[in-house]
Amino acid sequence: MSSAIGEARPALGRRATRAVVVVAAVVAAVVVFAVADAVTGEIRVPQRPASSETEPLTLSAVTFAAALACLAGWALLAVLERFTAPARARAVWTGVALAVFLLSLPYLPGFRLADRVAVALVHTALAAVLVPGLRRTVRAA
């Protein structure tokens, strides 16, 4: 990691910027969850896919799932950058990220309407921060 004399260094490195994006995305999801949980009284989710039995969605579950999703997205982006051109890595990663976002929305039966809306808002808050934030960190070609 040598730098040429006179070369400008970014305020934050790529890893630090990505870490900030991940933290911001998790915080966005948690804040939206907290507000939605307060408004609805309790967000309930199916115990298993397509189950009619539900359980409360907890702050710890939201935090863990959001962090895991963000770190998986970061890992995929890093792998794509290593093995493909930057423009291709950005395009493929964005496509995968948007597909995962759409497929993770609560389409399955077992959700009440209020719960479905709340979970969709949590997912949207996370994706709204993560996708553009990590896209911007891909190095220029």
Side-chain angles (χ1 to χ4, degrees):
M1 283 196 343
S2 64
S3 70
I5 296 176
E7 182 178 293
R9 293 186 58 149
L12 286 176
R14 186 175 327 176
R15 284 187 192 140
T17 301
R18 287 179 180 178
V20 168
V21 168
V22 165
V23 169
V26 171
V27 167
V30 166
V31 167
V32 170
F33 169 77
V35 170
D37 195 51
V39 168
T40 64
E42 179 180 67
I43 299 171
R44 298 191 63 83
V45 295
Q47 288 180 341
R48 294 172 306 286
S51 172
S52 60
E53 297 178 43
T54 62
E55 60 189 10
L57 184 60
T58 64
L59 180 63
S60 60
V62 170
T63 304
F64 178 76
L68 187 63
C70 290
L71 293 173
W74 182 352
L76 176 61
L77 182 56
V79 168
L80 288 169
E81 284 179 316
R82 182 165 176 93
F83 296 107
T84 64
R88 181 153 175 77
R90 180 185 292 119
V92 169
W93 184 85
T94 302
V96 170
L98 292 175
V100 168
F101 163 66
L102 291 173
L103 293 172
S104 71
L105 290 173
Y107 297 120
L108 300 173
F111 281 91
R112 297 178 310 180
L113 179 60
D115 298 333
R116 192 180 301 258
V117 169
V119 171
L121 289 173
V122 170
H123 285 225
T124 302
L126 185 134
V129 174
L130 186 70
V131 174
L134 287 185
R135 269 183 59 87
R136 277 192 285 257
T137 67
V138 177
R139 69 186 183 283

Short mmCIF file of all heavy atoms in Angstrom, two decimals, residues 10 12-15 17-18 74-91 93-94 132-141:
data_model
loop_
_atom_site.label_atom_id
_atom_site.label_comp_id
_atom_site.label_asym_id
_atom_site.label_seq_id
_atom_site.Cartn_x
_atom_site.Cartn_y
_atom_site.Cartn_z
N PRO A 10 -8.22 9.49 -0.03
CA PRO A 10 -9.61 9.76 0.38
C PRO A 10 -9.69 9.88 1.90
O PRO A 10 -8.85 9.35 2.62
CB PRO A 10 -10.37 8.53 -0.12
CG PRO A 10 -9.34 7.48 -0.34
CD PRO A 10 -8.04 8.19 -0.61
N LEU A 12 -11.77 8.55 3.95
CA LEU A 12 -11.92 7.20 4.48
C LEU A 12 -11.52 6.22 3.40
O LEU A 12 -11.81 6.43 2.23
CB LEU A 12 -13.38 6.92 4.85
CG LEU A 12 -13.95 7.56 6.09
CD1 LEU A 12 -15.44 7.24 6.20
CD2 LEU A 12 -13.23 7.11 7.34
N GLY A 13 -10.88 5.14 3.79
CA GLY A 13 -10.57 4.09 2.83
C GLY A 13 -11.84 3.36 2.43
O GLY A 13 -12.91 3.56 3.00
N ARG A 14 -11.71 2.50 1.44
CA ARG A 14 -12.87 1.76 0.94
C ARG A 14 -13.49 0.90 2.04
O ARG A 14 -14.70 0.86 2.20
CB ARG A 14 -12.47 0.91 -0.26
CG ARG A 14 -13.67 0.24 -0.91
CD ARG A 14 -13.31 -0.49 -2.14
NE ARG A 14 -12.23 0.26 -2.76
CZ ARG A 14 -11.59 -0.09 -3.85
NH1 ARG A 14 -11.90 -1.18 -4.44
NH2 ARG A 14 -10.62 0.63 -4.35
N ARG A 15 -12.66 0.19 2.80
CA ARG A 15 -13.19 -0.67 3.86
C ARG A 15 -13.91 0.14 4.93
O ARG A 15 -14.99 -0.24 5.39
CB ARG A 15 -12.07 -1.48 4.50
CG ARG A 15 -11.62 -2.61 3.66
CD ARG A 15 -10.63 -3.48 4.42
NE ARG A 15 -10.01 -4.40 3.49
CZ ARG A 15 -8.74 -4.72 3.50
NH1 ARG A 15 -7.93 -4.20 4.41
NH2 ARG A 15 -8.26 -5.56 2.62
N THR A 17 -15.30 3.07 4.58
CA THR A 17 -16.53 3.60 4.00
C THR A 17 -17.60 2.51 3.96
O THR A 17 -18.76 2.75 4.30
CB THR A 17 -16.27 4.14 2.58
OG1 THR A 17 -15.29 5.17 2.66
CG2 THR A 17 -17.54 4.69 1.95
N ARG A 18 -17.20 1.31 3.56
CA ARG A 18 -18.16 0.21 3.52
C ARG A 18 -18.66 -0.14 4.92
O ARG A 18 -19.83 -0.45 5.11
CB ARG A 18 -17.54 -1.02 2.84
CG ARG A 18 -17.41 -0.81 1.35
CD ARG A 18 -16.80 -1.97 0.64
NE ARG A 18 -16.73 -1.67 -0.79
CZ ARG A 18 -16.22 -2.45 -1.70
NH1 ARG A 18 -15.72 -3.63 -1.36
NH2 ARG A 18 -16.20 -2.09 -2.96
N TRP A 74 -21.55 -7.16 1.28
CA TRP A 74 -20.17 -6.65 1.20
C TRP A 74 -19.24 -7.76 0.69
O TRP A 74 -18.41 -7.53 -0.18
CB TRP A 74 -19.75 -6.17 2.57
CG TRP A 74 -18.39 -5.57 2.69
CD1 TRP A 74 -17.38 -5.54 1.76
CD2 TRP A 74 -17.85 -4.91 3.84
NE1 TRP A 74 -16.28 -4.90 2.26
CE2 TRP A 74 -16.54 -4.50 3.53
CE3 TRP A 74 -18.36 -4.63 5.09
CZ2 TRP A 74 -15.73 -3.84 4.45
CZ3 TRP A 74 -17.55 -3.96 5.99
CH2 TRP A 74 -16.25 -3.57 5.67
N ALA A 75 -19.39 -8.95 1.23
CA ALA A 75 -18.54 -10.08 0.81
C ALA A 75 -18.73 -10.39 -0.67
O ALA A 75 -17.74 -10.60 -1.40
CB ALA A 75 -18.85 -11.31 1.66
N LEU A 76 -19.97 -10.41 -1.12
CA LEU A 76 -20.22 -10.67 -2.54
C LEU A 76 -19.58 -9.59 -3.40
O LEU A 76 -18.95 -9.89 -4.43
CB LEU A 76 -21.72 -10.75 -2.82
CG LEU A 76 -22.08 -10.91 -4.30
CD1 LEU A 76 -21.51 -12.20 -4.88
CD2 LEU A 76 -23.59 -10.85 -4.48
N LEU A 77 -19.71 -8.35 -3.00
CA LEU A 77 -19.11 -7.25 -3.77
C LEU A 77 -17.59 -7.40 -3.82
O LEU A 77 -16.98 -7.23 -4.88
CB LEU A 77 -19.49 -5.91 -3.18
CG LEU A 77 -18.98 -4.67 -3.91
CD1 LEU A 77 -19.40 -4.67 -5.38
CD2 LEU A 77 -19.46 -3.41 -3.21
N ALA A 78 -16.97 -7.76 -2.71
CA ALA A 78 -15.52 -7.93 -2.67
C ALA A 78 -15.08 -9.06 -3.61
O ALA A 78 -14.07 -8.93 -4.32
CB ALA A 78 -15.06 -8.20 -1.25
N VAL A 79 -15.82 -10.16 -3.63
CA VAL A 79 -15.49 -11.28 -4.51
C VAL A 79 -15.65 -10.86 -5.97
O VAL A 79 -14.78 -11.14 -6.81
CB VAL A 79 -16.36 -12.51 -4.18
CG1 VAL A 79 -16.24 -13.58 -5.27
CG2 VAL A 79 -15.98 -13.09 -2.83
N LEU A 80 -16.73 -10.18 -6.27
CA LEU A 80 -16.95 -9.74 -7.65
C LEU A 80 -15.85 -8.77 -8.10
O LEU A 80 -15.38 -8.85 -9.24
CB LEU A 80 -18.32 -9.08 -7.79
CG LEU A 80 -19.52 -10.03 -7.73
CD1 LEU A 80 -20.81 -9.24 -7.60
CD2 LEU A 80 -19.55 -10.94 -8.94
N GLU A 81 -15.45 -7.88 -7.22
CA GLU A 81 -14.38 -6.93 -7.58
C GLU A 81 -13.07 -7.65 -7.85
O GLU A 81 -12.29 -7.23 -8.69
CB GLU A 81 -14.17 -5.92 -6.45
CG GLU A 81 -15.22 -4.86 -6.38
CD GLU A 81 -14.97 -3.90 -5.25
OE1 GLU A 81 -14.63 -4.35 -4.13
OE2 GLU A 81 -15.09 -2.69 -5.50
N ARG A 82 -12.83 -8.70 -7.11
CA ARG A 82 -11.57 -9.43 -7.27
C ARG A 82 -11.50 -10.17 -8.60
O ARG A 82 -10.44 -10.29 -9.19
CB ARG A 82 -11.40 -10.40 -6.12
CG ARG A 82 -10.11 -11.16 -6.16
CD ARG A 82 -9.84 -11.83 -4.83
NE ARG A 82 -8.66 -12.63 -4.87
CZ ARG A 82 -7.45 -12.21 -4.53
NH1 ARG A 82 -7.29 -10.97 -4.12
NH2 ARG A 82 -6.42 -13.01 -4.61
N PHE A 83 -12.64 -10.67 -9.07
CA PHE A 83 -12.62 -11.54 -10.25
C PHE A 83 -13.25 -10.94 -11.50
O PHE A 83 -13.25 -11.60 -12.54
CB PHE A 83 -13.30 -12.87 -9.92
CG PHE A 83 -12.56 -13.65 -8.87
CD1 PHE A 83 -13.06 -13.76 -7.59
CD2 PHE A 83 -11.35 -14.24 -9.17
CE1 PHE A 83 -12.37 -14.47 -6.61
CE2 PHE A 83 -10.65 -14.96 -8.21
CZ PHE A 83 -11.16 -15.07 -6.93
N THR A 84 -13.78 -9.73 -11.43
CA THR A 84 -14.36 -9.10 -12.63
C THR A 84 -13.93 -7.64 -12.70
O THR A 84 -13.41 -7.08 -11.74
CB THR A 84 -15.91 -9.16 -12.61
OG1 THR A 84 -16.39 -8.39 -11.52
CG2 THR A 84 -16.43 -10.58 -12.50
N ALA A 85 -14.21 -7.04 -13.82
CA ALA A 85 -13.93 -5.61 -14.01
C ALA A 85 -14.85 -4.80 -13.09
O ALA A 85 -15.96 -5.24 -12.78
CB ALA A 85 -14.17 -5.22 -15.47
N PRO A 86 -14.40 -3.62 -12.67
CA PRO A 86 -15.21 -2.81 -11.74
C PRO A 86 -16.63 -2.54 -12.23
O PRO A 86 -17.58 -2.67 -11.44
CB PRO A 86 -14.41 -1.52 -11.60
CG PRO A 86 -13.01 -1.91 -11.89
CD PRO A 86 -13.10 -3.00 -12.93
N ALA A 87 -16.79 -2.18 -13.48
CA ALA A 87 -18.14 -1.87 -13.99
C ALA A 87 -19.02 -3.12 -13.95
O ALA A 87 -20.20 -3.04 -13.60
CB ALA A 87 -18.06 -1.33 -15.41
N ARG A 88 -18.43 -4.25 -14.29
CA ARG A 88 -19.20 -5.51 -14.24
C ARG A 88 -19.52 -5.89 -12.80
O ARG A 88 -20.64 -6.33 -12.51
CB ARG A 88 -18.43 -6.62 -14.93
CG ARG A 88 -19.18 -7.94 -14.95
CD ARG A 88 -18.76 -8.78 -16.13
NE ARG A 88 -19.36 -10.08 -16.13
CZ ARG A 88 -20.60 -10.35 -16.48
NH1 ARG A 88 -21.39 -9.36 -16.86
NH2 ARG A 88 -21.07 -11.57 -16.48
N ALA A 89 -18.56 -5.72 -11.90
CA ALA A 89 -18.80 -6.03 -10.49
C ALA A 89 -19.95 -5.19 -9.95
O ALA A 89 -20.84 -5.70 -9.27
CB ALA A 89 -17.54 -5.79 -9.67
N ARG A 90 -19.94 -3.91 -10.27
CA ARG A 90 -21.00 -3.01 -9.81
C ARG A 90 -22.35 -3.43 -10.37
O ARG A 90 -23.35 -3.51 -9.64
CB ARG A 90 -20.70 -1.57 -10.21
CG ARG A 90 -21.78 -0.59 -9.76
CD ARG A 90 -21.57 0.84 -10.25
NE ARG A 90 -20.41 1.41 -9.61
CZ ARG A 90 -19.33 1.83 -10.28
NH1 ARG A 90 -19.26 1.72 -11.59
NH2 ARG A 90 -18.32 2.36 -9.64
N ALA A 91 -22.40 -3.74 -11.66
CA ALA A 91 -23.67 -4.11 -12.29
C ALA A 91 -24.21 -5.44 -11.75
O ALA A 91 -25.39 -5.55 -11.42
CB ALA A 91 -23.49 -4.19 -13.81
N TRP A 93 -23.42 -6.94 -8.90
CA TRP A 93 -23.75 -6.81 -7.48
C TRP A 93 -25.09 -6.10 -7.31
O TRP A 93 -25.92 -6.52 -6.50
CB TRP A 93 -22.66 -6.07 -6.72
CG TRP A 93 -22.97 -6.02 -5.26
CD1 TRP A 93 -22.69 -6.99 -4.35
CD2 TRP A 93 -23.69 -5.00 -4.58
NE1 TRP A 93 -23.19 -6.61 -3.11
CE2 TRP A 93 -23.81 -5.39 -3.24
CE3 TRP A 93 -24.24 -3.79 -4.96
CZ2 TRP A 93 -24.45 -4.63 -2.27
CZ3 TRP A 93 -24.88 -3.02 -4.00
CH2 TRP A 93 -24.98 -3.44 -2.68
N THR A 94 -25.30 -5.04 -8.05
CA THR A 94 -26.55 -4.30 -7.94
C THR A 94 -27.74 -5.18 -8.32
O THR A 94 -28.76 -5.18 -7.63
CB THR A 94 -26.52 -3.03 -8.81
OG1 THR A 94 -25.41 -2.23 -8.41
CG2 THR A 94 -27.81 -2.23 -8.69
N PRO A 132 -27.20 1.80 -2.66
CA PRO A 132 -26.43 2.92 -3.23
C PRO A 132 -25.11 3.16 -2.49
O PRO A 132 -24.12 3.56 -3.10
CB PRO A 132 -27.36 4.13 -3.09
CG PRO A 132 -28.41 3.73 -2.14
CD PRO A 132 -28.48 2.24 -2.12
N GLY A 133 -25.11 2.90 -1.19
CA GLY A 133 -23.88 3.12 -0.41
C GLY A 133 -22.74 2.22 -0.86
O GLY A 133 -21.62 2.70 -1.07
N LEU A 134 -23.00 0.93 -1.00
CA LEU A 134 -21.93 0.02 -1.44
C LEU A 134 -21.61 0.21 -2.92
O LEU A 134 -20.46 0.07 -3.32
CB LEU A 134 -22.28 -1.44 -1.14
CG LEU A 134 -22.20 -1.85 0.33
CD1 LEU A 134 -22.45 -3.35 0.49
CD2 LEU A 134 -20.90 -1.46 0.98
N ARG A 135 -22.60 0.52 -3.73
CA ARG A 135 -22.33 0.79 -5.16
C ARG A 135 -21.29 1.89 -5.33
O ARG A 135 -20.44 1.82 -6.20
CB ARG A 135 -23.63 1.22 -5.88
CG ARG A 135 -24.42 0.14 -6.48
CD ARG A 135 -25.63 0.71 -7.21
NE ARG A 135 -25.28 1.65 -8.26
CZ ARG A 135 -25.00 1.31 -9.51
NH1 ARG A 135 -25.03 0.06 -9.87
NH2 ARG A 135 -24.70 2.23 -10.40
N ARG A 136 -21.42 2.92 -4.51
CA ARG A 136 -20.50 4.07 -4.63
C ARG A 136 -19.07 3.72 -4.25
O ARG A 136 -18.15 4.47 -4.59
CB ARG A 136 -20.99 5.21 -3.74
CG ARG A 136 -22.05 6.05 -4.37
CD ARG A 136 -22.28 7.31 -3.58
NE ARG A 136 -23.02 7.02 -2.35
CZ ARG A 136 -24.30 7.26 -2.18
NH1 ARG A 136 -24.99 7.81 -3.15
NH2 ARG A 136 -24.90 6.98 -1.06
N THR A 137 -18.88 2.61 -3.55
CA THR A 137 -17.52 2.27 -3.11
C THR A 137 -16.73 1.45 -4.13
O THR A 137 -15.57 1.18 -3.92
CB THR A 137 -17.55 1.48 -1.79
OG1 THR A 137 -18.15 0.19 -2.00
CG2 THR A 137 -18.28 2.26 -0.70
N VAL A 138 -17.38 1.05 -5.21
CA VAL A 138 -16.67 0.27 -6.24
C VAL A 138 -15.68 1.21 -6.93
O VAL A 138 -16.03 2.31 -7.35
CB VAL A 138 -17.66 -0.33 -7.27
CG1 VAL A 138 -16.90 -1.07 -8.37
CG2 VAL A 138 -18.61 -1.27 -6.56
N ARG A 139 -14.44 0.74 -7.01
CA ARG A 139 -13.39 1.59 -7.60
C ARG A 139 -13.68 1.87 -9.07
O ARG A 139 -14.32 1.07 -9.75
CB ARG A 139 -12.02 0.94 -7.42
CG ARG A 139 -11.82 -0.31 -8.23
CD ARG A 139 -10.50 -0.99 -7.90
NE ARG A 139 -10.27 -2.14 -8.71
CZ ARG A 139 -10.85 -3.33 -8.56
NH1 ARG A 139 -11.72 -3.51 -7.60
NH2 ARG A 139 -10.57 -4.33 -9.36
N ALA A 140 -13.20 2.98 -9.53
CA ALA A 140 -13.38 3.36 -10.93
C ALA A 140 -12.52 2.46 -11.81
O ALA A 140 -11.49 1.95 -11.40
CB ALA A 140 -12.98 4.82 -11.14
N ALA A 141 -12.98 2.27 -13.02
CA ALA A 141 -12.27 1.39 -13.96
C ALA A 141 -10.92 1.91 -14.34
O ALA A 141 -10.52 2.97 -14.23
CB ALA A 141 -13.11 1.19 -15.21
#
